Amino acid sequence: MTAPAPTEVAIIGDRFMLSAMFEEALHEACGDRVICRSLDLPWPDEPMEHGYAKPGMDGLKEYMGEPEEVIAHIGSAPILVTHLAPLSAAMFKAMPDLRLVAVSRGGPVNIDMGAAAGHGVTVVNTPGRNASAVAEFTIGAIIAETRNITKGHDALRRGEYRGDLYRADVTGKELSEMTIGVIGYGNVGTRVVRLLRAFGCRILVTDPYVQLAPADAADGVAMVELDQLLAESDVVSLHPRVTEETRGMLGAEAFAAMKPGAVVVNTARGPLMDYDALYHALTEGSLRGAMLETFSIEPTPPDWPLLQLPNVTLTPHIAGASVKTVSIAAAKAAEEVRRWITGEPPLNPC
């Protein structure tokens, strides 16, 4: 019997999610049943689009690539594996052979999901791909802000040796004597809790949709309401998805309800917080500090007030950036392609 012809797979990667790693994972999962052609976009060296009503791209967010270039590269391939390539309604219409899109991210915000369904295209994603990376980064973020690492670093860069950071009224608490509040107990939040347990801190969790893992409950982690978490936590760390329920969940009222001298950490998404209200809380003294990894507008405007505050640590949305993240996402996408070729149901349909 003649073997079936290989399936054509178009890959659109970038300088983080390398197309070469996608291709390697695809051949490992599918062998010679796929033929790949690859294109790498220039992100993150060049900024992505963030969905500011670019004509013809309504509803798409966090994408990169010109529609004409993407359409030409995909051509007649029935499968696309990508990270950031946009797929609008008009683009689906121009690619009638496309049947599967594997997007290597937690949410397919760069894809018009209604149009995909209307054209009979299955979309799958890779949930949890960067959970380990973000969780580790979060621990570092907490320590950097609470133990004055950022303040000491900034001062030395200016040529100032700040011995006053050793003062009892200035130095930070150790994790072992703090209460850490974790909002959101999903892929990232559960890992943050697991890592925090090793430090011996008291851990509070709020998430109305899940229950504590038995190991966390046995180790003293407590599931509480949001108001208790805010009132009792020395550090509040955000890890929910952005939904209508969570959008702006930390605003003026929430900051006022927090324990005086608390620190806020956001390694999740910018829209979860009201940054004007945060600025007010940080400058009036009710909050000790903040560590911000994600923002309401990215890249941040150079004159953004929070960039000027000495009690804020900031990083440019890099918590999920690790080689392990790339490997996990590529393997998950490749497995979805293998399942589609062999007629098995997808593991992570969107």
Side-chain angles (χ1 to χ4, degrees), residues 275-327:
Y275 284 99
D276 291 337
L278 176 64
Y279 180 85
H280 180 70
L282 289 166
T283 53
E284 72 170 12
S286 61
L287 294 183
R288 179 187 176 189
M291 191 286 161
L292 306 176
E293 148 72 0
T294 61
F295 311 96
S296 52
I297 298 177
E298 297 180 5
T300 52
D303 59 348
W304 195 44
L306 280 163
L307 293 175
Q308 314 307 320
L309 295 184
N311 55 341
V312 179
T313 298
L314 305 110
T315 51
H317 204 153
I318 56 173
S322 76
V323 175
K324 183 177 179 180
T325 293
V326 180
S327 298

Side-chain angles (χ1 to χ4, degrees), residues 35-106:
I35 292 179
C36 303
R37 61 169 180 270
S38 298
L39 170 69
D40 278 321
L41 301 171
W43 185 84
D45 295 342
E46 296 180 16
M48 68 176 76
E49 297 285 344
H50 281 269
Y52 304 128
K54 190 171 182 179
M57 310 299 277
D58 299 337
L60 304 192
K61 296 184 293 183
E62 298 182 8
Y63 63 88
M64 170 173 273
E66 294 300 322
E68 296 79 8
E69 180 185 27
V70 171
I71 292 169
H73 180 71
I74 296 172
S76 60
I79 299 174
L80 169 66
V81 176
T82 190
H83 181 213
L84 295 176
L87 291 172
S88 66
M91 293 172 70
F92 277 114
K93 188 175 181 180
M95 296 181 291
D97 297 316
L98 188 61
R99 287 293 171 265
L100 175 70
V101 176
V103 58
S104 62
R105 58 197 309 177

